[in-house]
Amino acid sequence: MSGKYDDLSKAQLIELLEKRDRTKKLGLVWERDEIAADQAIDENFIACEIVPELSDKPAPWANMVIEGDNFDALRWLRMTLSGRVKCIYVDPPYNTGNKDWVYNDRYMDKENRFRQSTWLDFLYQRFTLARDLLDENGVMLVSINDEQRALLELMLDEAMPGMKLGCFVWRTRKGGYDSGNFSKDHDFVLAYRKPRFEFHGTEKNRNDYSNPDNDSRGDWTDDPLQQPKTYKQRKNAVYFITDPETGIAYPPNPNRVWSVGQKGDKGLTEKPWEDLLEEGLLVFKKKGQYVQYDSLDELCAAIDDKTAHKFARRDLPNIEDWVGRKIGLGSVRIKKFLKDRDDDEVNPLSSLLDGVTTEDSLSVKVGKTTEGTREVRAVFGESAFEYPKPVSLIRELVRQSAGSGDIVLDFFAGSATTAQAVMELNAEDGIDRRFIMVSSTEATEDEPDKNLCRDVTAERIRLLNARDDPKYDSLAAPFAYLRTREIAFEDLDYDLAPKDAWAALETLHGLPLTIYDGSAAWNAHEGEGVTLVMVDKYDAALLDWLRERSRKNVFVYAWAPGQLARELGDVEVEIRSVRDTLVRGFQQ
């Protein structure tokens, strides 16, 4: 073995071979250095520093805007929020190879024949990290266009095995056409879910329930009395149901015969139609309307010239019984009462995001790309970001995916459309969802001072928070602005600032972020159901403070936990190491 494997250790070679043995034989394959990718995750430690002057509204902050490479931000979030994010929505780069996105300079060179692989691997590293953030009832929603959908979907199948739910079709524009007189006026939103996730759907429309016959059991509607079997498959289900009031006999649809039996049938497990009739549960449609055939020849002639009853067939097992009867032109259905319906029953969400509503499924009405551009211009007074998604698209997806207290993450946040969607939805329904927006500076050699995260992502939220309009009072969303920072593991004891450790621990315990007081011997944050304490140096007052509080769900962190345990003596609280807790969470 030689060449690119010369520098690998025996352990690395074994790991590489084991991974290759586990590789699926059917699926997407792309060029990637698996060992280098694995090493990159634990190459260094990531801290997040709160930047107070870029944060908005007073602390505590339930929402976050994180500036930095989203690979670094996701590593920090995996350490602090693993398994606790309900909804992740992202609109990743579409691999155009154009210089319209900063990462294209490094990853998406049009002339690079491995351009597809570098794009896929770039995203794969991030989605495998994001996958670990999802709650057991969480969902990942990913926008993509038609050109890259197949590759992205196969890659996501690898990154999130067994989690595929499906995809939405979203109409991005109206009119226009591309080559071949084919209009590519739609994009997709791919959906991958954890085991217990379900879209909220919408309440069933109950307008079809009424009580025209004053039934004592209340409002009802009628359902089919059929099964998906033909008259050739279920000959014993081919018989007449007779209305005793009119004497009219109703035949079954030969392609969907009766779903109930009749008295005398063997092996009946449910009530025969005669019992249903006696209980007043059968409804005869087109009541009183019938046709009659006085001879078999007359009936067969009508079948041959296609003027016979729509359910008549020459080879019906009971064709002779049609002769001399009043054959009903309608159908027989069964009453279903509103009181017996499950109140939680909802319509499923349709795969069409274009305002189309059907009887059995819901499709939300969302805007097109031009709406997103207008919204950005309305906030900034100019087009501060190209090709933003419309707020309505993300708002309706979040409405269907996240509820009270849930976290919504966007790690390609761009113009913060996702943040505005969460803010609008919270203002509309009064439910307190939280958001985390991750965006880079996108600084380049030509624009070294560019900072997309500060000047667009966070600024959009600031401008929305500052709107002087009563209808936007409930829209405000205070947020902490954080900046990622790399630290070598060997330098953690010296370079990990207490304020950065405090931000990580607050996030780890589900607490909103606050400013760390570096002058205090210890900091405390008392939240609902949990109390967090971080000790920088021992102060005797801490002993009395802890004794006055319930010891349940009190977590005390220290840089030297052994020494603190001796100082606290008989106070029974759990004392943890700051460094060990964070490193263990980071290297999971």
Side-chain angles (χ1 to χ4, degrees), residues 518-532:
S519 65
W522 46 277
N523 279 245
H525 188 157
E526 295 184 86
E528 293 184 11
V530 62
T531 296
L532 173 66

Side-chain angles (χ1 to χ4, degrees), residues 192-467:
Y192 286 76
R193 68 167 181 171
K194 293 300 281 287
R196 295 202 296 268
F197 173 80
E198 288 186 352
F199 288 113
H200 295 159
T202 186
E203 291 184 4
K204 289 278 189 181
N205 185 342
R206 303 304 189 189
N207 293 336
D208 55 342
Y209 284 84
S210 61
N211 195 1
D213 58 352
N214 295 317
D215 195 306
S216 60
R217 291 163 289 194
D219 288 356
W220 55 270
T221 188
D222 53 75
D223 281 357
L225 196 67
Q226 302 170 334
Q227 60 175 309
K229 301 293 182 181
T230 70
Y231 69 107
K232 294 181 179 180
Q233 294 172 303
R234 290 288 186 271
K235 292 183 179 181
N236 63 340
V238 179
Y239 53 83
F240 291 102
I241 293 179
T242 303
D243 179 359
E245 293 184 7
T246 62
I248 296 175
Y250 293 81
N253 183 333
N255 296 320
R256 294 181 61 86
V257 294
W258 300 127
S259 59
V260 294
Q262 54 186 337
K263 280 186 177 179
D265 287 348
K266 293 181 179 180
L268 278 181
T269 59
E270 297 182 355
K271 295 178 181 179
W273 73 265
E274 292 91 345
D275 288 354
L276 298 176
L277 177 66
E278 187 175 341
E279 294 175 14
L281 292 176
L282 296 188
V283 179
F284 298 93
K285 310 298 284 188
K286 295 185 179 180
K287 195 176 180 71
Q289 298 182 36
Y290 68 93
V291 65
Q292 185 169 330
Y293 303 98
D294 293 327
S295 70
L296 186 59
D297 289 341
E298 180 187 354
L299 173 58
C300 290
I303 292 173
D304 292 342
D305 64 19
K306 296 182 171 44
T307 61
H309 189 286
K310 62 182 178 179
F311 292 161
R313 304 285 190 278
R314 270 182 172 269
D315 58 349
L316 287 174
N318 66 342
I319 188 65
E320 293 86 359
D321 295 337
W322 284 59
V323 177
R325 288 178 180 264
K326 296 177 180 179
I327 309 296
L329 295 178
S331 60
V332 183
R333 296 170 69 88
I334 185 169
K335 283 185 176 182
K336 294 294 181 179
F337 293 93
L338 182 58
K339 67 181 181 63
D340 298 328
R341 293 290 192 185
D342 184 353
D343 290 339
D344 294 331
E345 202 173 88
V346 295
N347 281 316
L349 191 63
S350 170
S351 60
L352 295 176
L353 297 176
D354 193 31
V356 179
T357 304
T358 65
E359 181 179 351
D360 298 320
S361 63
L362 164 76
S363 175
V364 299
K365 186 170 182 61
V366 301
K368 299 177 174 58
T369 301
T370 53
E371 178 185 299
T373 302
R374 288 195 301 269
E375 289 164 341
V376 168
R377 193 178 297 121
V379 175
F380 288 93
E382 60 179 342
S383 297
F385 190 87
E386 292 185 342
Y387 311 117
K389 293 293 187 287
V391 173
S392 57
L393 169 68
I394 306 174
R395 183 184 63 233
E396 298 308 321
L397 291 172
V398 172
R399 186 197 303 277
Q400 287 292 325
S401 306
S404 181
D406 288 337
I407 299 172
V408 178
L409 167 66
D410 185 343
F411 57 88
F412 283 104
S415 65
T417 302
T418 302
Q420 182 170 341
V422 172
M423 294 165 72
E424 287 188 2
L425 199 52
N426 287 349
E428 175 189 326
D429 59 22
I431 293 178
D432 185 23
R433 303 168 187 84
R434 299 157 55 197
F435 63 74
I436 301 174
M437 301 292 106
V438 179
S439 186
S440 68
T441 65
E442 297 203 5
T444 63
E445 290 184 3
D446 295 334
E447 296 180 282
D449 297 325
K450 182 179 180 180
N451 193 325
L452 177 75
C453 185
R454 178 192 64 204
D455 300 334
V456 178
T457 310
E459 184 65 10
R460 181 175 190 172
I461 308 169
R462 290 191 201 98
L463 291 170
L464 289 169
N465 284 344
R467 278 188 170 178

Side-chain angles (χ1 to χ4, degrees), residues 34-96:
E34 295 188 14
I35 290 177
D38 288 346
Q39 288 175 338
I41 293 178
D42 293 329
E43 181 180 7
N44 48 37
F45 184 86
I46 300 299
C48 272
E49 174 189 6
I50 296 177
V51 186
E53 62 271 22
L54 295 180
S55 303
D56 198 48
K57 304 288 185 182
W61 297 293
N63 305 293
M64 301 182 200
V65 174
I66 303 177
E67 175 194 308
D69 189 311
N70 53 14
F71 181 70
D72 292 340
L74 287 168
R75 288 192 288 159
W76 186 82
L77 289 169
R78 189 178 68 159
M79 172 181 67
T80 56
L81 279 175
S82 181
R84 287 158 51 199
V85 176
K86 180 63 182 297
C87 174
I88 300 176
Y89 170 82
V90 289
D91 182 17
Y94 283 7
N95 194 24
T96 62

Side-chain angles (χ1 to χ4, degrees), residues 22-37:
R22 295 194 301 267
T23 299
K24 295 178 182 178
K25 305 305 179 186
L26 177 64
L28 179 66
V29 177
W30 69 93
E31 295 83 4
R32 71 187 310 258
D33 188 335
E34 295 188 14
I35 290 177

